[in-house]
Amino acid sequence: MLRGVTDLPPPPPPRRDWWRRLQRLPLSMMIASALLALGIVQLTFQLGHSLYRTSTWTRDTQATQARTRELERDIEELQDAVKYTQTPEHLQELARCLGYVGVKEKKIVALNAPTVDRPTEICKTLRVP
């Protein structure tokens, strides 16, 4: 007769087969797998957050640079206005707006001249930024 061969049916599978398989795995491998899964989740979060911060920073930087260019143009306009107000021609224009006449000029008044409620082009106040 052959050794180990019987006519008996095979034994039923154990009820907690998955638990025994789990017990066979080393504990360090399970901990390493759990840490790896947590690391992947953290890396995914960090990459998403970095992309969000990069897009936000780029948008804010462009807005700030545009505002800086605007302010630099305003500064140039104001500097030009200051230079213009210090010229003799501008001072003469202001004197004429106030009604002054030059020393060598004659003032002629027409009796039927129309009255002007608005200031002329020269006497208008200009707004600067």
Side-chain angles (χ1 to χ4, degrees):
M1 191 149 159
L2 293 173
R3 203 173 193 182
V5 177
T6 64
D7 290 336
L8 297 173
R15 292 174 54 198
R16 294 188 175 182
D17 190 35
W18 62 272
W19 181 250
R20 286 187 184 167
R21 286 185 193 160
L22 185 64
Q23 286 178 341
R24 289 183 197 148
L25 291 174
L27 184 61
S28 60
M29 183 180 285
M30 289 188 298
I31 292 173
S33 296
L35 289 176
L36 179 66
L38 286 174
I40 290 171
V41 169
Q42 181 183 9
L43 179 65
T44 305
F45 174 77
Q46 291 294 336
L47 286 174
H49 188 64
S50 294
L51 289 174
Y52 171 74
R53 285 178 43 196
T54 300
S55 66
T56 303
W57 181 82
T58 303
R59 185 175 54 244
D60 290 348
T61 302
Q62 290 172 350
T64 303
Q65 288 173 347
R67 180 71 176 137
T68 303
R69 285 190 296 271
E70 268 182 43
L71 293 174
E72 286 172 351
R73 279 193 299 263
D74 290 349
I75 288 172
E76 288 176 10
E77 287 181 28
L78 289 172
Q79 288 174 343
D80 291 344
V82 167
K83 287 178 187 176
Y84 178 71
T85 57
Q86 295 171 352
T87 61
E89 293 85 17
H90 178 70
L91 295 175
Q92 285 178 353
E93 288 176 9
L94 289 178
R96 288 205 182 273
C97 288
L98 295 174
Y100 290 100
V101 179
V103 175
K104 297 180 182 178
E105 296 178 342
K106 292 181 184 178
K107 186 173 185 180
I108 300 173
V109 178
L111 297 176
N112 57 357
T115 57
V116 179
D117 294 335
R118 307 183 299 164
T120 60
E121 258 324 288
I122 296 173
C123 299
K124 284 186 181 177
T125 304
L126 300 177
R127 288 195 53 83
V128 289

